[in-house]
């Protein structure tokens, strides 16, 4: 077989089986690698063979002439390919046979290895079972159980090891004692302290404590001597009781205690070094050793006292409380919203929150008794840092005003309470789990201890009352000053009528002046008091009689009442937040009495007394009564409603837990309300009396000629026709119109207004009916009567009167008609045919009016009178 040609590969083309073409076809050259390639395709392989068989050089003749197909090149090519494939097949079979033999040999070797390993595994299992049997014993054999024996051997070995350790410790302890008692040295313990590490220091502490016990039993003199600093020359031998001048004795107690102090200082120093290097394991070892000395108090004190937080804060604590002056003014302003926590205290609390959370992690890693250390750390934080700063802030606020102190106390307590709650939520040493019960008790106790001085007994509610009294007296100063001056000019009877009210006004005014002149009053407090009172700085140097007040200062003001109630509500809310509990009913009862005294007695009842006195002073007035006091009643009624609503909405419900106090509060409120209502009713009744008295005076001024005009009167013939009403009627109309306006302003449209006006209308009707019985009326005068009555009816119809008064208006109309109609019409009207008055009045009641007609002596009128 000719040798195959090497394939020539061109760029971008799959390698061909032949690299060149020859005139005579050659045997194809391919190997098994061609067929084992992943790119082998049968079709491409056949095409390659065909292309090699059909060479262009084989063609002859003209290019246009068709050539006959010659299969011989293809046949030779395929024959050669088949031969080559046959050779390859033989070679492949040979290789397959060789590989099959190798596989059979490998399988045989594997089988042999598996059997060998199985035998070895069986031997191992048998050995394990034998060992297990020997350890656990036989269930029915005569030998002792091997396992139990092994356990007993182990326990015995452990016991022997403990005995060996105790023996070594006893030996070392005896050696240390002999060294101490004979030589006065503790070199062995010193060596262990220096080179023993953490475990060595623990052992040193234990041995030192045992040496103290031995010293107490074997060397009692060192415990009884007062000044034993060195050896004595003559001691009593504790064994045979003889004097041994040759043996030196040492004060073993003092030496062991000095060694313990040295060891403790060394451990504290080492603990501090570990703390600075953040070696928590070393800190834990030192803390564990120091626990045996004094319960760990020294190491806890070292950790807390040298903490960077207290070092940095020790300088800040002593700083004066500053702050923005505007903030302090807002804090003292009762009408402004509190600005919140003082900035330095706020930053301190925020820093404590962060430090406590961070240090709790360090404490837990550094101390085996971490809860005790955390408790000591929290105590130091609250008792030193927070408490000192809180006291300074409250002292500063107290110099501003009582209200500033209370607001600062409230905001500080709320913020510190938030700090405690956040620490509990964090968990501290138990983070992220819930905080331990011991730490919770520490936090609650420290929080309560911070504010105990401010809530002991009744100190808190007394401070609240003092603050409100100060604000109320300032707000009402001009009001009380005005009314105290007004009462000095009244008669003795009126002064005695309001004696108790005058004394209350004087006490409130004097208390304010004494407070203003007090030497312990700071400039900020003085400025606040003057501002609430509406005074200037120059007024503070004036005497009480020199302070100017106006009539407006003596009137009630709803905005002032709202401010007073707002201040009270703030005090109640603050009390519930700060001092809520069993004392709440007593506290709200005290605040209720304060409110009733200032707003009820000093403010409302004083204004009502003033209105009552004004009404009483008009009863005998020779001029038209001044009813300008009536609109102030509306303000009084409005303020009474506001106060009553506040009491029954805010105060009384808070005393529900104490039935006795609640009933007492309700009784006090009812008495106060009844007193003010009586004064309002008295004022309104006096106003009715004053009104009817003045109307009666005006009616008495009616001229007799008003209803008997002559032709030559009133400026000539027919001049009376130009008059709509008489002057008396116009005066009454004008007066009653002003009264209606004042009453409407005082009572507003209500049932009280209707009752008030109806009562005046009834009295006015009675006066009118009596009035027209007194005047003789001629024919033309009857027209004036009807005009006057029409004007009066017009006035009364404009009022909001009770519906039962409507027939009275009809009566007045009919009375006017009695003077203008003729005898025949009069007779018919009296018979009721003209819609008249029969059934409203008796006929005999009409006789006085008919007799006042000028023609009463005529036959027609006499016949009418005879029928009456």
């Amino acid at each position: 077989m000719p040798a195959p040609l090497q394939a020539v590969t061109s760029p971008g083309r799959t390698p061909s089986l032949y690299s060149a073409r020859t005139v005579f076809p050659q045997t194809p050259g391919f190997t098994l690698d061609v067929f084992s390639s992943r790119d082998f395709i049968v079709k491409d392989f056949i095409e390659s063979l065909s292309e090699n068989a059909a060479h262009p050089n084989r063609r002859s003749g003209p290019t246009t002439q068709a050539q006959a197909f010659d299969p011989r090149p293809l046949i030779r090519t395929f024959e050669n390919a088949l031969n080559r494939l046959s050779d390859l097949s033989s070679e492949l079979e040979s290789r397959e046979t060789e590989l099959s033999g190798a596989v059979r040999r490998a399988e045989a070797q594997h089988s042999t290895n598996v059997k060998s390993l199985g035998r070895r595994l069986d031997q191992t299992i048998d050995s394990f079972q034998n060992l297990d049997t020997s350890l656990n014993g036989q269930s029915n054999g005569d030998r002792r159980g091997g396992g139990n024996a092994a356990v007993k051997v182990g326990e015995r070995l452990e016991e022997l090891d403990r005995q060996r350790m105790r023996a070594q410790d006893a030996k070392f302890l005896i050696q240390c004692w002999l060294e101490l008692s004979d030589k006065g040295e503790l070199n062995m313990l010193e060596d262990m302290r220096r080179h023993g590490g953490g475990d060595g220091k623990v052992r040193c502490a234990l041995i030192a404590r045992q040496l103290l016990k031995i010293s107490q039993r074997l060397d009692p003199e060192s415990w009884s001597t007062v000044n034993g600093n060195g050896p004595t020359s003559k001691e009593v031998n504790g064994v045979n009781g003889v004097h041994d001048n040759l043996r030196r004795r040492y004060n073993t107690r003092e030496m062991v205690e000095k060694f313990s102090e040295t060891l403790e200082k060394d451990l504290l120093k080492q603990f501090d070094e570990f703390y600075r290097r953040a070696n928590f394991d070393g800190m834990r070892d030192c803390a564990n050793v120091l626990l045996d000395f004094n319960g760990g108090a020294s190491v806890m004190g070292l950790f807390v006292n040298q903490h960077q937080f207290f070092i940095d804060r020790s300088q800040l604590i002593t700083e004066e409380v500053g702050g923005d002056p505007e903030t302090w003014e807002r804090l003292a302003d009762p009408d402004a919203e509190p600005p919140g926590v003082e900035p330095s205290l706020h930053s301190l609390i925020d820093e404590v929150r962060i430090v406590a959370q961070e240090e709790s992690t360090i404490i837990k890693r550094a101390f085996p008794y971490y809860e005790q250390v955390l408790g000591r750390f929290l105590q130091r934080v609250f008792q030193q840092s927070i408490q000192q700063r809180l006291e300074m802030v409250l002292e500063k606020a107290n110099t501003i005003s009582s209200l500033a102190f209370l607001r600062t106390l409230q905001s500080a307590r709320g913020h510190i309470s938030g700090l405690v709650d956040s620490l509990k939520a964090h968990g501290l040493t138990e983070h992220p789990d819930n905080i331990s019960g011991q730490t919770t008790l520490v936090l609650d106790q420290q929080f309560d201890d911070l504010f105990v001085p401010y809530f002991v007994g009744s100190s808190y509610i007394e401070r609240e009352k003092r603050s409100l009294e100060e604000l109320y007296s300032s707000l009402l100063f001009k009001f009380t000053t005005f009314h105290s001056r007004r009462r000095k000019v009244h008669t003795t009877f009126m002064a005695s009528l309001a004696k108790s009210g005058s004394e209350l006004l004087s006490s409130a005014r004097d208390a304010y002046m004494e407070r203003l002149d007090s030497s312990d009053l700071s400039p900020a407090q003085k400025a606040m008091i003057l501002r609430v009172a509406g005074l200037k700085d120059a007024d503070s140097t004036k005497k009480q009689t020199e302070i100017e007040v106006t009539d407006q200062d003596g009137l009630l003001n709803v905005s002032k009442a709202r401010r007073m109630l707002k201040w009270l509500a703030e005090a109640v809310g603050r009390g519930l937040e700060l001092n809520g509990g069993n004392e709440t009913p007593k506290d709200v009862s005290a605040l209720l009495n304060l409110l009733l005294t200032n707003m009820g007695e000093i403010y409302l009842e004083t204004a009502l007394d003033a209105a009552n006195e004004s009404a009483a002073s008009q009863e005998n007035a020779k001029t038209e009564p001044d009813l300008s006091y009536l609109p102030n009643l509306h303000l009084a009624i409005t303020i009474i409603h506001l106060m009553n609503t506040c009491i029954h909405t805010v105060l009384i419900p808070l005393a529900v837990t104490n039935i006795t106090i609640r009933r007492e509060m309700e009784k006090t409120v009812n008495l106060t309300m009844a007193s003010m209502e009586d004064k309002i009713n008295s004022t309104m009744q006096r106003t009715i009396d004053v009104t009817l008295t003045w109307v009666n005076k005006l009616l008495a001024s009616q001229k007799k000629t008003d209803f008997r005009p002559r032709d030559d009167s009133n400026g000539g013939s027919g001049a009376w026709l130009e008059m709509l009403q008489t002057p008396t009627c116009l005066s009454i109309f004008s007066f009653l119109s002003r009264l209606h306006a004042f009453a409407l302003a005082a009572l507003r449209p209500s049932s009280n207004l209707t009752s008030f006006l109806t009562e005046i209308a009834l009295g006015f009707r009675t006066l009118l009916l009596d009035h027209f019985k007194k005047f003789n009326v001629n024919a033309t005068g009857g027209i004036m009567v009807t005009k006057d009555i029409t004007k009066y009816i017009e006035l009364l119809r404009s009022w909001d009167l009770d519906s039962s008064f409507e027939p009275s208006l009809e009566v007045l109309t009919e009375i006017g008609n009695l003077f203008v109609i003729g005898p025949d019409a009069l007779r018919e009207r009296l018979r009721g045919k003209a819609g008249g008055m029969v059934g409203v009045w008796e006929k005999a009641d009409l006789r006085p009016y008919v007799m006042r007609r000028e023609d009463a002596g005529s036959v027609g009128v006499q016949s009418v009178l005879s029928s009456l």
Side-chain angles (χ1 to χ4, degrees):
M1 179 179 296
L5 297 177
Q6 296 180 352
V8 179
T9 304
S10 61
R13 182 178 179 183
T14 303
S16 176
L17 296 175
Y18 301 97
S19 60
R21 297 183 181 274
T22 59
V23 176
F24 301 99
Q26 298 180 357
T27 302
F30 46 82
T31 62
L32 291 175
D33 296 336
V34 176
F35 300 99
S36 62
S37 175
R38 293 182 178 181
D39 298 331
F40 176 77
I41 300 175
V42 176
K43 182 179 179 180
D44 294 343
F45 177 73
I46 299 299
E47 289 180 356
S48 176
L49 293 176
S50 301
E51 289 178 358
N52 293 334
H55 196 279
N57 295 332
R58 295 291 186 116
R59 295 198 295 262
S60 61
T63 58
T64 59
Q65 184 179 359
Q67 297 181 356
F69 174 71
D70 186 5
R72 288 177 295 177
L74 292 173
I75 293 173
R76 287 193 294 269
T77 300
F78 287 124
E79 287 178 349
N80 293 333
L82 288 173
N83 292 333
R84 181 57 182 164
L85 289 174
S86 178
D87 294 340
L88 291 176
S89 178
S90 299
E91 181 180 354
L92 184 61
E93 289 178 357
S94 176
R95 294 178 59 182
E96 181 180 2
T97 302
E98 180 180 354
L99 292 175
S100 298
V103 168
R104 286 193 297 273
R105 289 191 297 272
E107 289 178 350
Q109 183 64 35
H110 175 70
S111 178
T112 302
N113 292 338
V114 168
K115 291 179 180 179
S116 176
L117 292 174
R119 287 192 298 272
R120 293 174 63 182
L121 178 61
D122 292 338
Q123 293 174 0
T124 303
I125 294 175
D126 293 339
S127 299
F128 175 77
Q129 290 178 350
N130 293 333
L131 178 62
D132 184 61
T133 302
S134 63
L135 292 176
N136 297 329
Q138 298 177 355
S139 60
N140 54 359
D142 296 334
R143 297 181 303 173
R144 295 181 178 179
N148 295 333
V151 172
K152 292 182 179 180
V153 169
E155 292 177 351
R156 181 59 179 167
L157 289 175
E158 291 178 357
E159 179 65 24
L160 292 174
D161 183 65
R162 286 194 294 269
Q163 293 179 1
R164 183 183 65 85
M165 292 297 297
R166 284 197 298 270
Q168 290 180 353
D169 291 341
K171 176 184 177 182
F172 187 77
L173 179 62
I174 293 172
Q175 290 175 348
C176 291
W177 170 251
L178 293 175
E179 183 183 24
L180 175 63
S181 60
D182 293 342
K183 300 180 181 180
E185 298 176 353
L186 289 172
N187 294 329
M188 298 177 68
L189 280 180
E190 288 288 347
D191 293 338
M192 182 181 292
R193 181 179 66 84
R194 293 191 183 97
H195 308 293
D199 295 336
K201 290 182 173 61
V202 173
R203 192 179 179 192
C204 281
L206 295 175
I207 293 175
R209 189 167 61 252
Q210 292 172 353
L211 286 175
L212 282 176
K213 295 179 180 179
I214 295 174
S215 173
Q216 188 175 5
R217 296 185 60 183
L218 300 182
D219 188 15
E221 294 182 359
S222 64
W223 291 76
S224 60
T225 56
V226 178
N227 189 12
N229 296 324
T232 60
S233 60
K234 187 176 182 179
E235 296 288 345
V236 178
N237 192 311
V239 178
N240 50 20
V242 298
H243 294 285
D244 187 2
N245 296 327
L246 300 177
R247 184 177 179 184
R248 298 171 60 86
R249 299 290 299 276
Y250 297 90
N251 192 328
T252 56
R253 173 190 176 185
E254 181 179 355
M255 298 184 67
V256 174
E257 288 179 348
K258 287 183 178 180
F259 174 79
S260 298
E261 292 177 1
T262 303
L263 178 61
E264 184 178 6
K265 292 179 181 179
D266 188 21
L267 289 172
L268 291 175
K269 181 179 179 181
Q270 189 174 4
F271 178 88
D272 186 58
E273 293 176 355
F274 286 148
Y275 177 64
R276 299 182 185 280
R277 296 199 301 265
N279 185 349
F280 301 112
D281 294 334
M283 293 172 63
R284 194 177 187 88
D285 293 338
C286 293
N288 197 17
V289 176
L290 290 168
L291 180 64
D292 295 329
F293 282 96
N294 50 11
S298 59
V299 68
M300 287 190 288
L302 175 68
F303 176 79
V304 173
N305 295 334
Q306 294 189 2
H307 197 280
Q308 192 64 33
F309 172 78
F310 300 108
I311 296 175
D312 295 340
R313 278 288 169 181
S314 62
Q315 299 177 354
L316 298 178
I317 291 298
T318 58
E319 292 182 357
E320 293 293 333
V321 179
D324 185 10
E326 183 179 355
T327 302
W328 289 109
E329 291 180 2
R330 287 177 54 201
L331 195 64
D333 187 357
D335 299 316
E337 290 296 326
V341 185
E342 196 273 333
S344 64
L345 182 60
H346 187 283
S347 64
L348 172 62
I349 294 173
D350 291 343
E351 186 177 356
V352 167
R353 180 183 292 106
I354 298 173
V355 170
Q357 293 175 0
E358 293 177 350
E359 289 302 315
S360 60
T361 304
I362 298 175
I363 290 173
K364 185 173 183 180
R365 296 177 62 184
F367 291 92
Y369 40 94
Y370 53 85
E371 286 192 352
Q372 300 179 17
V373 181
L374 179 62
R376 178 74 66 85
F377 180 78
L378 293 175
Q379 289 177 4
R380 178 71 180 276
V381 168
F382 277 86
Q383 295 177 4
Q384 178 175 321
S385 300
I386 297 180
Q387 183 174 356
Q388 291 182 5
R389 195 61 186 177
L390 176 63
E391 291 175 352
M392 295 179 65
V393 171
L394 290 178
E395 288 178 1
K396 172 67 174 180
N398 196 34
T399 60
I400 304 299
S401 70
S402 299
L403 179 62
F405 177 89
L406 293 169
R407 284 180 167 181
T408 303
L409 181 64
Q410 179 186 14
S411 60
R413 191 176 189 275
H415 205 61
I416 296 175
S417 177
L419 167 66
V420 172
D421 293 339
S422 66
L423 295 181
K424 290 180 181 179
H426 179 267
L428 297 180
T429 54
E430 307 301 325
H431 181 76
D433 297 331
N434 295 330
I435 194 170
S436 65
Q438 181 178 348
T439 307
T440 300
L441 291 176
V442 171
L443 288 172
D444 292 339
Q445 184 64 38
Q446 295 303 315
F447 176 75
D448 293 339
D449 292 345
L450 277 179
F451 297 97
V452 164
Y454 309 108
F455 301 106
V456 61
S458 60
S459 59
Y460 170 75
I461 193 62
E462 291 299 327
R463 190 181 289 270
E464 283 284 5
K465 290 172 59 179
R466 187 164 59 250
S467 173
L468 286 175
E469 287 175 350
E470 185 178 276
L471 293 175
Y472 287 168
S473 62
S474 300
L475 183 65
L476 302 180
F477 174 71
K478 284 189 174 182
F479 179 85
T480 55
T481 301
F482 175 86
H483 285 280
S484 64
R485 295 177 183 176
R486 173 188 59 80
R487 289 187 171 182
K488 291 180 180 180
V489 300
H490 284 305
T491 63
T492 305
F493 171 74
M494 298 308 302
S496 62
L497 186 65
K499 181 178 180 181
S500 60
S502 300
E503 293 176 352
L504 193 60
L505 282 178
S506 300
S507 63
R509 186 186 65 256
D510 295 340
Y512 176 80
M513 296 303 298
E514 291 177 1
R515 179 63 175 164
L516 193 62
D517 297 335
S518 177
S519 59
D520 60 349
L521 192 66
S522 65
Q525 288 178 296
K526 189 173 183 179
M528 185 276 299
I529 292 176
L530 291 173
R531 180 169 52 81
V532 174
L535 300 176
K536 299 179 181 179
D537 294 338
D539 295 333
S540 61
T541 59
K542 296 181 180 179
K543 296 181 180 181
Q544 179 186 342
T545 56
E546 297 176 351
I547 296 178
E548 296 180 359
V549 291
T550 62
D551 293 341
Q552 193 67 27
D553 294 327
L555 299 178
L556 294 176
N557 191 315
V558 177
S559 63
K560 286 186 178 180
R562 293 182 184 276
R563 292 172 68 187
M564 296 174 72
L565 295 177
K566 178 184 176 183
W567 299 342
L568 177 73
E570 179 183 345
V572 172
R574 183 166 48 244
L576 291 176
E577 179 181 348
L578 298 181
N579 198 29
N582 297 329
E583 299 298 322
T584 298
K586 293 182 180 179
D587 294 347
V588 295
S589 178
L591 294 179
L592 173 64
N593 293 331
L594 179 67
L595 178 66
L596 294 179
T597 300
N598 287 272
M599 180 177 283
E601 297 181 22
I602 296 179
Y603 197 45
L604 286 171
E605 293 194 13
T606 299
L608 293 176
D609 288 339
N612 199 1
E613 292 170 8
S614 298
S617 64
Q618 304 297 322
E619 291 180 348
N620 299 320
K622 296 181 180 181
T623 58
E624 180 179 325
D626 182 10
L627 303 179
S628 60
Y629 59 86
L630 283 177
N632 207 32
L633 292 181
H634 173 68
L635 299 177
I637 295 172
T638 302
I639 295 173
I640 290 173
H641 176 71
L642 289 175
M643 183 178 69
N644 192 39
T645 303
C646 176
I647 291 172
H648 287 86
T649 304
V650 178
L651 297 180
I652 292 182
L654 295 177
V656 69
T657 56
N658 193 317
I659 301 300
T660 304
I661 295 179
R662 179 185 176 94
R663 290 177 178 174
E664 188 66 27
M665 292 173 63
E666 291 176 344
K667 180 180 178 181
T668 304
V669 172
N670 292 336
L671 290 175
T672 303
M673 293 297 171
S675 174
M676 289 187 288
E677 289 175 359
D678 290 342
K679 291 185 178 183
I680 293 176
N681 293 335
S682 175
T683 302
M684 300 307 296
Q685 187 60 48
R686 287 180 183 275
T687 302
I688 293 174
D689 296 340
V690 168
T691 301
L692 296 179
T693 300
W694 183 251
V695 170
N696 191 29
K697 288 183 178 181
L698 293 178
L699 290 175
S701 65
Q702 186 91 50
K703 296 180 180 180
K704 294 183 178 181
T705 59
D706 286 344
F707 301 134
R708 295 182 65 186
R710 298 180 181 275
D711 293 340
D712 57 350
S713 64
N714 296 322
S717 177
W720 59 271
L721 295 175
E722 298 178 1
M723 298 178 59
L724 297 178
Q725 291 87 23
T726 63
T728 300
C729 176
L730 294 177
S731 298
I732 294 175
F733 182 87
S734 177
F735 171 69
L736 292 180
S737 296
R738 287 193 293 272
L739 167 70
H740 179 261
F742 283 128
L744 186 63
L747 301 177
R748 303 298 169 90
S750 62
S751 59
N752 292 330
L753 177 64
T754 300
S755 300
F756 174 75
L757 294 178
T758 301
E759 189 169 353
I760 292 179
L762 289 173
F764 182 45
R765 183 203 65 176
T766 301
L767 293 176
L768 288 178
L769 293 177
D770 291 339
H771 178 69
F772 290 115
K773 294 178 182 179
K774 302 175 182 179
F775 293 88
N776 294 323
V777 182
N778 60 16
T780 56
I783 298 176
M784 296 305 297
V785 170
T786 56
K787 288 183 178 181
D788 284 358
I789 291 178
T790 302
K791 192 66 173 178
Y792 295 143
I793 293 176
E794 176 188 349
L795 173 66
L796 294 177
R797 288 189 182 278
S798 65
W799 292 2
D800 184 13
L801 301 177
D802 191 82
S803 58
S804 61
F805 187 76
E806 186 67 25
S808 298
L809 298 177
E810 299 298 331
V811 168
L812 291 176
T813 302
E814 294 301 329
I815 291 297
N817 293 332
L818 293 178
F819 295 103
V820 295
I821 60 178
D824 295 336
L826 179 61
R827 183 181 299 107
E828 294 296 330
R829 184 172 293 276
L830 293 177
R831 291 177 181 177
K833 296 180 180 181
M837 303 165 54
V838 178
V840 179
W841 273 11
E842 296 293 336
K843 290 183 178 181
D845 296 333
L846 303 179
R847 184 181 181 87
Y849 301 101
V850 177
M851 292 180 65
R852 287 297 178 178
R853 289 170 59 109
E854 190 177 39
D855 57 350
S858 63
V859 176
V861 176
Q862 285 295 322
S863 64
V864 173
L865 290 174
S866 62
S867 66
L868 298 177

